[in-house]
Amino acid sequence: NETIAARVRLRALEDAETNVTALAKAAVAKSEQTALDEIRAQAELQMQFEEMTSDVAAKLKAAAEAEEALAAATKLESNRNDSQRITRIVVMRDSLCKALIKEMARGSTPLVYNTLTFRLTIGKNPDLTSVSENFSFPEPYFKRAADSPDEPT
């Protein structure tokens, strides 16, 4: 019975991996096509510059370069804002979890919060070696005596 369950679990993992691999391949193909489109657009722009007088071409090249620099700066700032937002969310999550854990009784039933994108389980247990079959915590580092204090001394 365990071998059947293991086979079913393995097959589910393989199916999930196949789906994720297909998504990754599609994303890579789209990224490569976008890069090729950008190269083609740059080449066409350079051909247009070659057909212009040198003064007009120089002005338009400068304008195009300024536009590219602005787009790069805007993208960098957007990425920076995204990174800062993620960091603030993680800090808030960690602060909430710490506050909830402090109020929990040791060995009590873990709190489970299901969202659309993840499941958060919060519990208080000095023995993390048997918390979940989904995780493997080595005993010497993650198993404390049952009567050990909550706060380290």
Side-chain angles (χ1 to χ4, degrees), residues 77-89:
E77 187 62 28
S78 176
N79 289 346
R80 184 180 295 128
N81 287 340
D82 289 347
S83 176
Q84 289 174 348
R85 188 177 307 108
I86 290 168
T87 300
R88 286 192 300 269
I89 290 169

Side-chain angles (χ1 to χ4, degrees), residues 104-110 123-127 146 150:
M104 293 179 78
R106 182 182 298 194
S108 62
T109 304
K124 190 173 193 176
N125 189 336
D127 181 7
D150 286 345

Side-chain angles (χ1 to χ4, degrees), residues 7 10 16 22 25 39 41 47 66 68-69 87 93 101-102 104 107 114 123 126 134 140-142 144-145 147-148 150:
R7 276 192 242 142
L10 180 61
K25 285 180 179 178
I39 291 169
M47 287 173 33
E68 284 180 25
T87 300
R93 180 210 57 203
I101 290 170
K102 274 190 173 185
M104 293 179 78
N114 291 308
N134 297 323
Y141 304 105
F142 294 97
R144 296 188 343 223
D147 61 347
S148 63
D150 286 345

Side-chain angles (χ1 to χ4, degrees), residues 1-16:
N1 219 0
E2 287 181 25
T3 57
I4 293 172
R7 276 192 242 142
V8 168
R9 196 169 39 244
L10 180 61
R11 183 67 192 159
L13 287 171
E14 288 175 346
D15 290 345

Side-chain angles (χ1 to χ4, degrees), residues 24-149:
K25 285 180 179 178
V28 167
K30 183 178 179 183
S31 176
E32 289 173 346
Q33 185 60 49
T34 301
L36 287 173
D37 291 345
E38 179 64 27
I39 291 169
R40 186 174 291 117
Q42 288 293 326
E44 289 174 0
L45 187 61
Q46 288 302 318
M47 287 173 33
Q48 290 173 3
F49 289 149
E50 292 298 321
E51 295 174 358
M52 299 175 186
T53 64
S54 61
D55 291 343
V56 173
K59 288 178 185 177
L60 291 177
K61 279 183 185 179
E65 288 171 2
E67 188 177 317
E68 284 180 25
L70 178 61
T74 302
K75 183 173 176 22
L76 178 67
E77 187 62 28
S78 176
N79 289 346
R80 184 180 295 128
N81 287 340
D82 289 347
S83 176
Q84 289 174 348
R85 188 177 307 108
I86 290 168
T87 300
R88 286 192 300 269
I89 290 169
V90 168
V91 168
M92 189 177 1
R93 180 210 57 203
D94 291 350
S95 298
L96 285 169
C97 288
K98 286 178 184 177
L100 287 169
I101 290 170
K102 274 190 173 185
E103 299 300 318
M104 293 179 78
R106 182 182 298 194
S108 62
T109 304
L111 302 172
V112 178
Y113 299 95
N114 291 308
T115 70
L116 293 175
T117 54
F118 64 91
R119 184 175 93 184
L120 177 65
T121 304
I122 303 172
K124 190 173 193 176
N125 189 336
D127 181 7
L128 295 180
T129 60
S130 60
V131 171
S132 171
E133 65 184 32
N134 297 323
F135 298 103
S136 175
F137 296 108
E139 194 166 315
Y141 304 105
F142 294 97
K143 185 173 185 176
R144 296 188 343 223
D147 61 347
S148 63

